[in-house]
């Protein structure tokens, strides 16, 4: 059995670490966006429609982790979308990359320290609800934090109640803003793609293995509509610091619930579907941000 870690100074970033990283990043631009977007696997295409982009590579920020996954380029992009200032994270961190959970979502605290109040999270996910299809877009109405339920909650560790952190004990019901969901659905319908839209429950697994068929049946029995390997730590930290949150899953593959299927999903399948939906996601976000107060 692993030794219990009693040295709390080795868990988490301090308030000062977060502020320092925020200052380094902000020193690259005069823009001060209040909208932050984290781009999921292959979903960085939104950056192609950012006007007057200013790019800040993660490796220029001392103490910032590096992206190791294909489809996550590892940089911030400041600019405007439909004239509104935004900050994009092109590349998120995943638990399966070997980062401890508190590191996975640390950038959300840095975003808060930079002035972000609205957090738009995107991800690639597998469809568990068998009425979904590859290429559908699911708005998160709730999530299941499977790592959190089994002892790997992102908020474990010392808590600092100053601005970029939050209360020791956090209610996580109602994390995903229902007004945002309604607006996003309206945008999709106006663009003629209401048929692709779903609202459902995202379950996070640690990864990097995709689910076995028996595991997938369990996830579905839990009530999840889509499965992925991210987002939940970020939305919990965003919620902790008082942000308004939208979660969008692109259903990049359908997960088999019946034994005997020959289909085996790959990361390339995920990237391909994300690429096929890139232009539509751009259009949706360009329109959606105009509706954020
Ligand atoms: O960063 P997201 O959650 O969009 O990435 C998903 C989950 C894995 O990282 C990867 C699997 O292909 O895509």
């Amino acid at each position: 059995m692993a030794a219990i870690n009693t040295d709390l100074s080795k868990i988490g970033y301090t308030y000062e670490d977060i502020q320092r990283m925020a200052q380094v990043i902000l020193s690259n631009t005069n823009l001060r966006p209040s909208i932050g977007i984290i781009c999921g696997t292959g979903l960085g295409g939104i950056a192609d429609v950012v006007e007057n982009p200013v790019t800040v590579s993660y490796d220029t920020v001392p103490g910032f982790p590096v992206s190791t996954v294909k489809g996550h380029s590892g940089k911030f992009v400041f600019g405007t979308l439909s004239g509104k200032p935004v900050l994009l994270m092109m590349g998120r961190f995943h638990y399966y990359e070997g980062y401890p959970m508190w590191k996975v979502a640390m950038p959300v605290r840095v975003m808060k320290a930079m002035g972000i109040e609205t957090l738009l999270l995107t991800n690639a996910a597998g469809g568990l609800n068998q009425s979904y299809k590859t290429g559908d877009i699911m708005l998160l109405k709730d999530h299941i934090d499977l790592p959190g339920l089994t002892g790997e909650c992102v908020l474990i560790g010392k808590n600092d109640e100053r601005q970029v952190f939050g209360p020791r004990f956090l209610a996580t019901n109602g994390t995903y803003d229902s007004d945002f969901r309604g607006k996003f659905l309206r945008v999709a319908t106006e663009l003629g793609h209401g048929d692709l839209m779903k609202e459902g429950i995202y379950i996070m697994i640690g990864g990097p293995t995709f689910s076995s068929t028996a595991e997938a049946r369990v996830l579905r029995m839990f009530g999840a509509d889509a499965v992925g390997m991210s987002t939940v730590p970020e939305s919990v930290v965003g919620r902790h610091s008082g942000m308004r949150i939208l979660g969008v899953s692109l259903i990049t593959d359908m997960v088999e619930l019946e034994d005997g299927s020959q289909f085996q999903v790959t990361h390339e399948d995920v990237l391909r579907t994300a690429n096929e939906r890139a232009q539509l996601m751009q259009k949706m976000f360009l329109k959606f941000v105009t509706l954020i107060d």
Side-chain angles (χ1 to χ4, degrees):
M1 197 167 129
I4 292 170
N5 183 4
T6 50
D7 184 356
L8 293 182
S9 66
K10 294 209 168 57
I11 300 177
Y13 288 76
T14 64
Y15 178 82
E16 289 73 22
D17 294 333
I18 301 287
Q19 295 295 339
R20 184 181 36 76
M21 286 188 259
Q23 290 318 312
V24 170
I25 299 163
L26 286 180
S27 69
N28 291 278
T29 174
N30 290 326
L31 218 57
R32 293 293 179 265
S34 64
I35 302 172
I37 305 175
I38 299 186
C39 301
T41 293
L43 295 167
I46 299 168
D48 297 342
V49 284
V50 168
E51 302 117 14
N52 306 314
V54 174
T55 297
V56 184
S57 182
Y58 296 166
D59 60 15
T60 64
V61 184
F64 212 78
V66 291
S67 287
T68 69
V69 184
K70 200 169 160 192
H72 294 261
S73 57
K75 59 189 183 203
F76 289 101
V77 178
F78 288 85
T80 57
L81 267 186
S82 306
K84 283 216 163 181
V86 292
L87 167 59
L88 266 59
M89 263 190 79
M90 311 262 303
R92 61 152 54 94
F93 306 111
H94 306 84
Y95 187 65
Y96 64 75
E97 292 174 75
Y99 293 118
M101 206 57 97
W102 50 264
K103 212 173 239 194
V104 164
M106 170 279 290
V108 175
R109 290 198 172 126
V110 176
M111 281 181 153
K112 178 76 181 185
M114 290 193 279
I116 300 299
E117 296 295 342
T118 293
L119 185 61
L120 312 180
L121 299 169
T122 68
N123 63 57
L128 291 166
N129 182 326
Q130 299 297 298
S131 74
Y132 288 10
K133 292 184 300 301
T134 297
D136 281 351
I137 296 169
M138 184 189 89
L139 302 181
L140 275 65
K141 61 177 183 196
D142 204 348
H143 69 228
I144 301 171
D145 181 0
L146 203 53
L149 290 176
T150 52
E152 285 284 356
C153 177
V154 66
L155 297 184
I156 283 177
K158 223 168 126 191
N159 195 58
D160 184 331
E161 304 215 349
R162 279 177 285 182
Q163 196 204 350
V164 294
F165 294 75
R168 170 76 288 183
F169 299 101
L170 178 74
T172 59
N173 56 313
T175 293
Y176 302 94
D177 193 289
S178 60
D179 176 56
F180 280 175
R181 288 209 301 278
K183 285 178 170 155
F184 204 95
L185 288 174
R186 211 168 80 212
V187 163
T189 305
E190 283 169 11
L191 290 171
H193 290 287
D195 56 319
L196 299 179
M197 299 308 297
K198 314 282 177 209
E199 287 185 88
I201 296 171
Y202 174 95
I203 190 162
M204 181 198 176
I205 58 171
T209 47
F210 293 109
S211 314
S212 73
T213 309
E215 287 164 352
R217 280 196 293 263
V218 170
L219 302 181
R220 181 64 184 142
M221 267 186 329
F222 283 169
D225 297 293
V227 54
M229 305 175 193
S230 69
T231 304
V232 173
E234 296 153 4
S235 54
V236 169
V237 168
R239 168 81 165 179
H240 194 221
S241 68
M243 291 177 176
R244 285 183 78 188
I245 299 172
L246 174 81
V248 182
S249 291
L250 174 64
I251 305 299
T252 51
D253 52 280
M254 283 302 296
V255 181
E256 288 293 336
L257 300 184
E258 302 295 332
D259 293 320
S261 161
Q262 298 305 307
F263 173 67
Q264 296 200 317
V265 66
T266 65
H267 189 58
E268 278 59 44
D269 295 326
V270 171
L271 289 169
R272 190 180 330 106
T273 312
N275 193 37
E276 284 164 9
R277 282 282 178 259
Q279 281 198 342
L280 182 57
M281 292 293 260
Q282 287 169 352
K283 283 190 199 153
M284 287 182 171
F285 276 86
L286 276 168
K287 231 168 141 53
F288 174 72
V289 293
T290 65
L291 304 177
I292 298 175
D293 312 318

